[in-house]
Amino acid sequence: MDVNEETRRYWNEEGGQAWVRHAARFDAQLVPFAEMVLAAAAPQPGERVLDIGCGNGALTREMARAVQPGGDVTGIDVSEPMVALARSQIDPAAPASFVSADAQTADLTGEGPFDLLVSRFGVMFFDDPVAAFANLRGSLGPEGRLAFVCWQDFLHNPWMLEPMAAALQHVPPPPLLEPGTPGPWAFGDPDRVRTILDRAGFHNVELRAVEREVTLGGWGDAEEVLEFLAATSLGRLVLLQDDAELQARVHDEVRQALQRFETPDGVRLGSAVWVVTAVS
Ligand SMILES: C[S@@+](CC[C@H](N)C(=O)[O-])C[C@H]1O[C@@H](n2cnc3c(N)ncnc32)[C@H](O)[C@@H]1O
């Protein structure tokens, strides 16, 4: 199998298409996490930044503002449709460009050296995370920094756990994944993250646990959020059923679960992330 073959397929097909279609909702939901990366990375004017798994480019745009004057940002992502959207959304005057490539294997020597590697939820999908982070570290200059945010364990993330638990009253659970399987929950174990970064050659690795409420889907009531969730990878596993009657029962259960978290500002549930920093 090719390196990251399934990841590349997913993010170029259903995953990437959902993220492009719901780009505004994903971005609104994830605003607090861009702020966390910015605070941890502390980008300075004149610095050169690589945004790993930049997707639709929201963090790239923030970084491009932060490094002016004199700096620049490169966003790298394996998803063609997301990179295309990122390119179309960037201010042409912004010091930012995008590379459509696999961050695990891409030759980044022509792009770097960077002062700073950042990511918002774009580093948990590598088949071989040690090789990926070693490759990325190779693009850093002296005293380069790394700052990213990733999800803690699934069980600490009510924004996904609550709707999933509601659905599982009617459908069997999706197959259990081996801990560390590439995907949103691959970096839940802090010791594993430390080990990966140590082996990739990083120093001063620190993980800070942060809990934060998120507005699921960015805005809207339980019905709108249900529709949004059906487009996400985990949502699709349980919310889309061949049997229409079963699907209706699952949707009723999940809608009721989400209604418990409705506020005037949208459907708000807890989340837990690691804010990870290291130096080269
Ligand atoms: C959860 S999305 C986050 C997107 C973006 N960072 C954001 O916060 O909006 C994960 C992103 O990582 C990208 N990705 C996954 N594996 C990758 C790889 N090996 N190389 C580059 N990008 C990758 C996906 O295509 C996707 O855009």
Side-chain angles (χ1 to χ4, degrees):
M1 195 195 238
D2 275 359
V3 171
N4 297 321
E5 184 183 1
E6 173 50 22
T7 290
R8 191 165 48 244
R9 188 207 63 74
Y10 174 77
W11 288 105
N12 278 283
E13 296 179 14
E14 67 268 25
Q17 283 155 14
W19 274 69
V20 165
R21 180 152 45 95
H22 294 293
R25 285 191 176 276
F26 278 111
D27 279 347
Q29 174 175 310
L30 298 179
V31 162
F33 307 102
E35 289 166 1
M36 286 177 204
V37 178
L38 275 161
Q44 302 299 313
E47 287 196 316
R48 307 202 64 221
V49 184
L50 181 69
D51 180 7
I52 309 156
C54 63
N56 299 329
L59 181 63
T60 319
R61 294 192 290 277
E62 294 290 329
M63 286 287 162
R65 275 189 278 276
V67 297
Q68 291 192 51
D72 63 70
V73 187
T74 303
I76 183 168
D77 202 286
V78 79
S79 169
E80 303 274 353
M82 294 172 79
V83 166
L85 182 61
R87 285 196 177 112
S88 74
Q89 288 191 334
I90 195 81
D91 175 349
S97 59
F98 295 94
V99 176
S100 177
D102 185 333
Q104 181 173 322
T105 52
D107 179 358
L108 296 165
T109 43
E111 313 290 335
F114 297 105
D115 301 296
L116 188 52
L117 305 176
V118 297
S119 186
R120 183 179 75 173
F121 303 122
V123 292
M124 304 93 84
F125 304 89
F126 303 124
D127 283 348
D128 185 341
V130 174
F133 276 101
N135 184 45
L136 291 160
R137 183 172 161 271
S139 74
L140 277 172
E143 297 175 37
R145 286 128 52 220
L146 169 71
F148 67 82
V149 68
C150 59
W151 298 114
Q152 288 188 34
D153 191 77
F154 178 79
L155 296 173
H156 295 121
N157 277 284
W159 65 273
M160 189 44 84
L161 192 60
E162 292 281 349
M164 187 60 97
L168 295 191
Q169 294 185 37
H170 299 277
V171 293
L176 264 187
L177 298 175
E178 285 286 308
T181 300
W185 315 105
F187 278 16
D189 175 358
D191 291 335
R192 178 166 187 267
V193 178
R194 269 188 214 99
T195 304
I196 288 168
L197 294 179
D198 285 348
R199 289 198 181 144
F202 283 95
H203 303 281
N204 298 356
V205 177
E206 287 184 17
L207 280 81
R208 192 162 55 85
V210 180
E211 293 190 6
R212 180 74 196 247
E213 274 202 338
V214 289
T215 306
L216 259 195
W219 65 84
D221 61 12
E223 184 64 42
E224 285 177 74
V225 170
L226 180 63
E227 196 185 315
F228 166 75
L229 283 181
T232 66
S233 53
L234 283 165
R236 249 196 319 274
L237 282 176
V238 292
L239 290 173
L240 300 184
Q241 300 290 330
D242 291 336
D243 176 342
E245 196 264 335
L246 174 61
Q247 178 166 303
R249 266 189 287 139
V250 172
H251 282 207
D252 284 346
E253 197 74 49
V254 174
R255 189 182 301 105
Q256 281 172 38
L258 294 173
Q259 278 165 348
R260 301 207 319 272
F261 300 95
E262 276 182 340
T263 76
D265 298 322
V267 177
R268 290 181 60 79
L269 289 97
S271 79
V273 296
W274 299 118
V275 178
V276 183
T277 53
V279 295
S280 63

